[in-house]
Amino acid sequence: MTKPILVTGGTGTLGREVVRRLLAAGQDVRVLTRRHRPAAEHAWAVGDLASGEGIAGAVDGVATIVHCATSGRGDAAATRRLADAAKAAGVTHLLYISIVGIDAIPMFYYRAKLDAEQVVEGSGVPWTILRATQFHDLVATMSSAQHRLPVLFALSGVRFQPIDTGTVADRMIELALAPAAGRVPDIGGPEVRTSADLARAYLAATGRKRPVVSLRLPGKIFRALRAGANLTPQHATGKIAFEEFLKSR
């Protein structure tokens, strides 16, 4: 009988896809949650990465952890609590999902993700880290959040390479079911598109007509984005374009 796989962040955008695919592959899945939930196809493990309460029990008997949980400010500390518990329990694979460009873009959230990566690398648990470009969902939200404005703002000179969460989840499953591999090649969407182009695609898909206004914002973050630090065109392995994603919503 195979040992269960623990998924953190299993109710989030990516985590749900990971859990669904693991179950479809016949895996025994345990999902970390902060509170008791109704019975599901998988098992629930109640624990809190912020405090560490219940984490030892959640990882007990687990072979692999797929770490999708993220909160920003506390990511490194939460990952350290998880990694320490994993090492004590004899976990043989810690898989972490990260973001392309976090070592070059001085965004607070990205720095937190980079710190979490370093925790994973120094955890003493065999590990794998996969970096992905921005999800389609995030890029769409950048436009949908502006629905009350008379214009739609885009970032001048900034390009994105959005990827479907299902594509990332498929790759995560491959990695989770294989031995730990360290830092693996990045994964990116099929197209590199300007911020303005993606905004126009969103308007077209939603049947809205508004001017798209490109703003050139100052600062180190936007200089890094204009330089393409968030892109990985050499790893354009995604298959679902932004318009296809919008149609499926």
Side-chain angles (χ1 to χ4, degrees):
M1 186 174 181
T2 59
K3 290 185 176 182
I5 295 174
L6 176 68
V7 180
T8 73
T11 59
T13 301
L14 175 62
R16 287 194 303 269
E17 297 290 340
V18 169
V19 170
R20 185 168 64 83
R21 284 163 169 76
L22 284 172
L23 290 171
Q27 297 298 311
D28 182 3
V29 182
R30 187 183 296 177
V31 178
L32 185 67
T33 178
R34 288 193 297 270
R35 57 182 174 82
H36 291 279
R37 294 175 180 267
E41 288 184 77
H42 55 77
W44 294 106
V46 178
D48 189 351
L49 288 172
S51 66
E53 184 178 359
I55 300 304
V59 303
D60 185 42
V62 165
T64 297
I65 299 173
V66 181
H67 187 24
C68 299
T70 181
S71 62
R73 183 179 295 276
D75 274 6
T79 300
R80 183 169 287 107
R81 293 182 188 99
L82 179 67
D84 287 348
K87 183 178 180 180
V91 171
T92 56
H93 190 182
L94 175 56
L95 170 59
Y96 184 58
I97 181 65
S98 192
I99 307 169
V100 169
I102 59 172
D103 44 3
I105 303 170
M107 191 182 299
F108 178 83
Y109 177 62
Y110 281 19
R111 291 305 189 203
K113 294 290 286 186
L114 184 61
D115 289 345
E117 280 191 7
Q118 292 168 353
V119 170
V120 170
E121 292 169 2
S123 66
V125 179
W127 56 272
T128 303
I129 293 174
L130 172 67
R131 289 184 179 180
T133 54
Q134 285 73 29
F135 296 158
H136 286 314
D137 308 72
L138 176 62
V139 174
T141 299
M142 292 169 61
S143 293
S144 64
Q146 303 181 55
H147 68 280
R148 295 185 182 277
L149 301 179
V151 300
L152 185 57
F153 291 107
L155 298 172
S156 178
V158 174
R159 295 162 295 155
F160 293 101
Q161 190 180 348
I163 189 168
D164 183 68
T165 53
T167 301
V168 179
D170 285 338
R171 179 63 174 139
M172 293 285 284
I173 301 311
E174 292 177 2
L175 295 170
L177 300 182
R183 172 78 186 278
V184 297
D186 297 343
I187 185 170
E191 300 174 316
V192 175
R193 309 268 294 272
T194 67
S195 176
D197 184 33
L198 292 166
R200 293 188 188 97
Y202 174 83
L203 290 173
T206 56
R208 298 171 183 170
K209 295 183 178 180
R210 282 186 287 163
V212 174
V213 177
S214 292
L215 296 178
R216 186 177 180 87
L217 299 179
K220 294 180 180 179
I221 291 174
F222 297 102
R223 283 200 296 272
L225 289 172
R226 286 192 290 271
N230 60 317
L231 307 174
T232 182
Q234 68 274 32
H235 297 121
T237 51
K239 303 297 182 184
I240 299 175
F242 188 56
E243 285 83 355
E244 293 177 71
F245 161 77
L246 292 172
K247 286 179 182 178
S248 69
R249 281 164 64 94

